[in-house]
Amino acid sequence: MANQSFAIDGPGSLLAVLASQSGMARGSSSSSSSDSSSNSGGISATDVSAYFKLVFLGLIICVSLVGNLLVSLLVLRDRTLHKAPYFFLLDLCLADAVRSAACFPFVLVSVHNSSAWTYSALSCKVVAFMAVLFCFHAAFMLFCVAVTRYLAIAHHRFYAKRMTIWTCAAIICMVWTLAIAMAFPPVFDVGTYKFIRDEDQCIFEHRYLKTNDTLGFMLMLAVVVLATHGFYAKLLLFEYRHRKMKPVQLVPAISQNWTFHGPGATGQAAANWIAGFGRGPMPPTLLGIRQNLHNQHRRLLGMEEVRSERRLGRMFYTITLLFLVLWTPYIVACFWRVFVKSCTIPHRYLSITVWMSFAQAGVNPIFCLLLNEDLRKVLRAHLPTYWRTKQHLPQDEAYCIM
């Protein structure tokens, strides 16, 4: 409070000065009490932001666990879904469910504790390792799915012959091995796993390119994502070039004394031989027919199979596109830190990008059920009997039950 001087001419003026000073003291005390009451009664912007983060991340955890476990259960229980694309989808869903159950609760605790890590440094490294592991696993698995989708359309004979359950198991093991190889070096301080306060999580610390090895990690992730979309572009180009298929050229049969044989032979050769038109040993016509009938489904790709493969391709490309859309802002922020020395990223932008990367674990099962008719059929088949019967009852009887 600034010093003030008063001219005192007598007792009356002295009383006036004392009254004015006491009034000023009462005014200042009342204003300070009102300010303290407003500060204690109001809600700050930080509290509101933390509340929305907790609610949003809790919703992501619930949707991710329920959706991914539901899709995984449908794939495991129905034998018609025991095929290569659904094995890869099962691996993706289980990985997202484990990520939601193992990594996200620590983010909830850190947000609740005002963006602070309350556990040990070793636990922070373990959580960061799992977060990076699941990120690279999703990228590598989506790349392998893109390759198999291209083979299923462009080289169907090779795909149908080689894509067995053991091949799928080998691909899944290879993907996890590559993901571990990418996520494991920072555990030994090749790079840094630490708690990032602005992101509310333990993750790889992205710094300037001359400081640590973050550039190699980010370049690998960017190359894998771009290569995945390159295979889908190649598949789209293949379908565009083969939108008008040429008619099948039938191979003519070979005739020796009216005994037709060869790839184009029919049962008429045996009838001609029995009728006496042919001489010599019996032609191997029936054996050729059996072979042709046995390998007929391997030779050509039917229209129903083409539609099924295209539906699977659209579903997996939607998952890949969602991965690109939800992770690209965070990848841009990481490259910003790598190439710009002593940069300052806006806190709001960084928070939005981190929460978008979290949302990627919950949106996959939703779009799988929306875009895949086979999964919806299996889901309706495994619904409780009460709901199925109520769905098929007439409207009046349904009202009576309710």
Side-chain angles (χ1 to χ4, degrees):
M1 187 176 185
N3 294 325
Q4 297 179 357
S5 60
F6 300 94
I8 302 175
D9 296 332
S13 60
L14 177 61
L15 291 176
V17 169
L18 292 175
S20 63
Q21 288 183 351
S22 63
M24 292 172 62
R26 284 195 300 269
S28 61
S29 62
S30 62
S31 62
S32 62
S33 62
S34 63
D35 292 338
S36 61
S37 63
S38 62
N39 290 332
S40 61
I43 300 176
S44 63
T46 306
D47 296 334
V48 175
S49 176
Y51 175 77
F52 279 108
K53 286 181 180 180
L54 291 173
V55 172
F56 187 61
L57 189 56
L59 181 63
I60 290 175
I61 293 175
C62 295
V63 173
S64 177
L65 288 176
V66 174
N68 286 300
L69 292 179
L70 176 62
V71 174
S72 303
L73 185 63
L74 293 178
V75 174
L76 289 174
R77 292 193 61 178
D78 197 274
R79 296 184 63 87
T80 60
L81 301 180
H82 291 180
K83 296 182 290 187
Y86 294 102
F87 290 147
F88 299 145
L89 180 62
L90 174 65
D91 180 70
L92 284 171
C93 290
L94 290 178
D96 286 339
V98 174
R99 180 191 174 199
S100 301
C103 298
F104 293 168
F106 291 97
V107 181
L108 281 176
V109 174
S110 66
V111 173
H112 181 70
N113 293 328
S114 301
S115 300
W117 183 259
T118 57
Y119 303 97
S120 63
L122 179 60
S123 61
C124 183
K125 282 190 175 183
V126 172
V127 173
F129 167 77
M130 289 191 296
V132 176
L133 173 69
F134 291 127
C135 175
F136 276 100
H137 165 264
F140 285 130
M141 179 54 69
L142 291 175
F143 172 75
C144 293
V145 169
V147 175
T148 57
R149 288 298 86 211
Y150 176 76
L151 293 176
I153 299 296
H155 305 281
H156 183 72
R157 292 182 62 185
F158 175 82
Y159 175 82
K161 184 179 181 180
R162 299 296 183 184
M163 196 56 61
T164 61
I165 185 173
W166 299 110
T167 306
C168 297
I171 292 175
I172 292 173
C173 292
M174 179 192 68
V175 166
W176 280 107
T177 303
L178 291 174
I180 291 173
M182 292 301 301
F184 203 68
V187 175
F188 298 102
D189 292 330
V190 182
T192 306
Y193 280 156
K194 63 180 295 185
F195 179 74
I196 309 299
R197 183 181 177 87
D198 292 337
E199 301 181 14
D200 297 314
Q201 64 172 340
C202 287
I203 199 68
F204 191 91
E205 185 183 12
H206 303 283
R207 293 179 292 180
Y208 188 58
L209 59 92
K210 294 182 179 180
T211 307
N212 62 0
D213 298 331
T214 184
L215 180 60
F217 286 85
M218 298 312 301
L219 284 179
M220 176 60 72
L221 183 61
V223 167
V224 172
V225 172
L226 291 177
T228 304
H229 288 272
F231 268 98
Y232 280 111
K234 189 176 181 180
L235 176 60
L236 185 63
L237 184 62
F238 176 84
E239 291 186 351
Y240 177 77
R241 289 177 177 176
H242 295 78
R243 63 191 185 279
K244 293 183 179 180
M245 301 296 291
K246 296 181 180 179
V248 179
Q249 300 293 332
L250 298 177
V251 180
I254 302 173
S255 175
Q256 293 178 355
N257 297 327
W258 298 96
T259 55
F260 296 95
H261 61 90
T266 61
Q268 187 63 35
N272 293 339
W273 186 85
I274 293 173
F277 290 101
R279 302 199 178 175
M282 182 175 180
T285 306
L286 296 179
L287 182 60
I289 292 175
R290 292 191 191 99
Q291 291 177 350
N292 289 336
L293 290 176
H294 178 70
N295 295 325
Q296 187 175 4
H297 69 284
R298 299 285 186 184
R299 207 167 53 235
L300 298 175
L301 186 62
M303 290 304 299
E304 186 60 33
E305 290 177 320
V306 171
R307 295 190 187 97
S308 177
E309 296 294 343
R310 285 179 176 175
R311 286 195 297 267
L312 287 172
R314 284 194 294 268
M315 181 191 72
F316 278 111
Y317 182 69
T318 302
I319 295 175
T320 306
L321 188 62
L322 287 172
F323 182 87
L324 177 67
V325 170
L326 295 175
W327 275 94
T328 296
Y330 183 74
I331 294 175
V332 170
C334 295
F335 275 110
W336 193 352
R337 289 170 172 172
V338 170
F339 290 106
V340 181
K341 190 175 183 180
S342 301
C343 68
T344 302
I345 301 177
H347 178 72
R348 181 173 297 180
Y349 173 80
L350 191 59
S351 298
I352 293 174
T353 58
V354 171
W355 255 249
M356 286 175 64
S357 65
F358 292 160
Q360 184 265 331
V363 298
N364 287 344
I366 298 175
F367 282 89
C368 288
L369 292 173
L370 289 177
L371 299 176
N372 194 300
E373 186 179 356
D374 295 332
L375 286 176
R376 292 198 302 271
K377 288 180 180 179
V378 175
L379 179 61
R380 287 193 295 266
H382 288 85
L383 284 176
T385 309
Y386 170 76
W387 293 104
R388 292 204 304 267
T389 54
K390 190 177 76 169
Q391 184 178 4
H392 291 89
L393 282 175
Q395 189 174 4
D396 295 339
E397 296 184 11
Y399 284 139
C400 293
I401 292 178
M402 295 177 63

